[in-house]
Amino acid sequence: MSTTEDQTSGGAAIDIRGLRKHYGPVHALDGVELQLTPGRIVGLLGENGCGKTTLLKVLAGVVSDYTGQVRIAGHTPGPASKARVSFLPDTSFLPDRARVRDCVNIYRDFFTDFDAELAADRLAHFGFDEGLRLKEASKGMREKIQIALAMSRRAAVYLLDEPISGVDPAAREVLLEAIVRDLHPEALVFISTHLVHDLEPVLDSVVFMRHGRITLSGDVDDLRAEHGASLDQIFREVHR
């Protein structure tokens, strides 16, 4: 893994050059090049197994044995970047025995940029009792709790891995509203999903992935105008 000085690269919130990550013979990431600027909501779109989760884990500092150059929020992934990056993984990470109030305290203890009042407001918006135990919550309820906590950090970059996949279609709009609610105008939100149609209304830009490579990227409005189609239709065409 390469190291660089602690400074932003041309104003990019995320700057990736020649990123490769292998799991044995499998090329999870195969020469990824990507630059994303602050103040955007960007969709990382692709089928399951295309490399989306691995890419977000590298950016979050969870996966470190890669080659290439990676910078996020002005740092190479590590302790300094984790202080400025809020990562929501695709699996539950909070203890089953914990109550909602315990989860708020965990975030307050771990993250200096965590806004407990904002978290309480988001959780109340979802209608959660602070005494609810996670083991008593459905998968969709846990998704809402984790999103409320992750989005209550005053982070520079938010990395959200499939945040709406565990809820029914009727609840996805509510979750997306919670993600963009009270968002700092200079924050970058990078959301992975295979549910392109549901995410399209909130996106400024998109990055399409397949087989560990970026196949298409750009502003949503530009791509729709160029192709004369919705993002969902473009996605189906690119990945046909």
Side-chain angles (χ1 to χ4, degrees):
M1 180 178 63
S2 62
T3 58
T4 55
E5 293 180 359
D6 177 20
Q7 58 186 19
T8 58
S9 180
I14 291 176
D15 190 351
I16 300 172
R17 315 273 177 165
L19 173 60
R20 287 180 169 82
K21 167 62 183 172
H22 296 177
Y23 294 105
V26 178
H27 295 245
L29 299 172
D30 192 10
V32 173
E33 303 271 343
L34 182 64
Q35 291 76 45
L36 299 176
T37 56
R40 311 282 286 173
I41 301 175
V42 183
L44 178 60
L45 312 180
E47 302 159 337
N48 290 331
C50 72
K52 302 190 305 294
T53 292
T54 300
L55 177 56
L56 292 187
K57 284 183 176 180
V58 168
L59 290 168
V62 176
V63 170
S64 59
D65 54 336
Y66 58 84
T67 60
Q69 296 184 351
V70 180
R71 297 167 62 77
I72 180 168
H75 305 272
T76 53
S81 70
K82 289 178 182 180
R84 305 195 65 204
V85 176
S86 182
F87 175 47
L88 178 65
D90 63 343
T91 55
S92 179
F93 57 91
L94 295 168
D96 286 341
R97 294 181 58 83
R99 299 182 186 275
V100 171
R101 71 168 69 92
D102 301 325
C103 298
V104 172
N105 290 333
I106 289 170
Y107 261 72
R108 182 191 288 116
D109 291 342
F110 271 87
F111 303 110
T112 58
D113 62 355
F114 181 67
D115 187 332
E117 291 186 6
L118 180 58
D121 179 66
R122 290 182 185 276
L123 291 165
H125 178 73
F126 284 136
F128 287 119
D129 185 320
E130 64 177 13
L132 174 71
R133 287 191 185 276
L134 294 191
K135 66 179 181 180
E136 300 167 351
S138 67
K139 182 178 180 181
M141 292 168 70
R142 290 181 73 129
E143 290 272 9
K144 291 178 180 178
I145 293 168
Q146 293 183 163
I147 286 173
L149 294 172
M151 297 307 299
S152 294
R153 288 184 58 190
R154 300 298 188 181
V157 179
Y158 298 87
L159 305 173
L160 312 179
D161 194 3
E162 297 283 358
I164 61 174
S165 63
V167 299
D168 60 78
R172 290 171 189 162
E173 185 176 349
V174 176
L175 281 180
L176 290 174
E177 178 188 348
I179 289 171
V180 302
R181 185 183 181 204
D182 297 322
L183 190 64
H184 190 279
E186 289 302 309
L188 169 67
V189 182
F190 199 23
I191 314 175
S192 81
T193 190
H194 62 281
L195 302 170
V196 182
H197 175 75
D198 296 278
L199 204 62
E200 182 167 352
V202 304
L203 296 179
D204 298 309
S205 307
V206 291
V207 175
F208 290 166
M209 284 194 71
R210 192 177 197 191
H211 303 318
R213 299 181 178 180
I214 294 175
T215 56
L216 182 68
S217 64
D219 288 350
V220 169
D221 290 341
D222 291 345
L223 290 173
R224 284 194 289 232
E226 178 183 347
H227 293 265
S230 68
L231 281 185
D232 193 39
Q233 292 169 324
I234 297 169
F235 177 79
R236 293 174 188 274
E237 180 65 28
V238 169
H239 293 85
R240 179 179 296 175

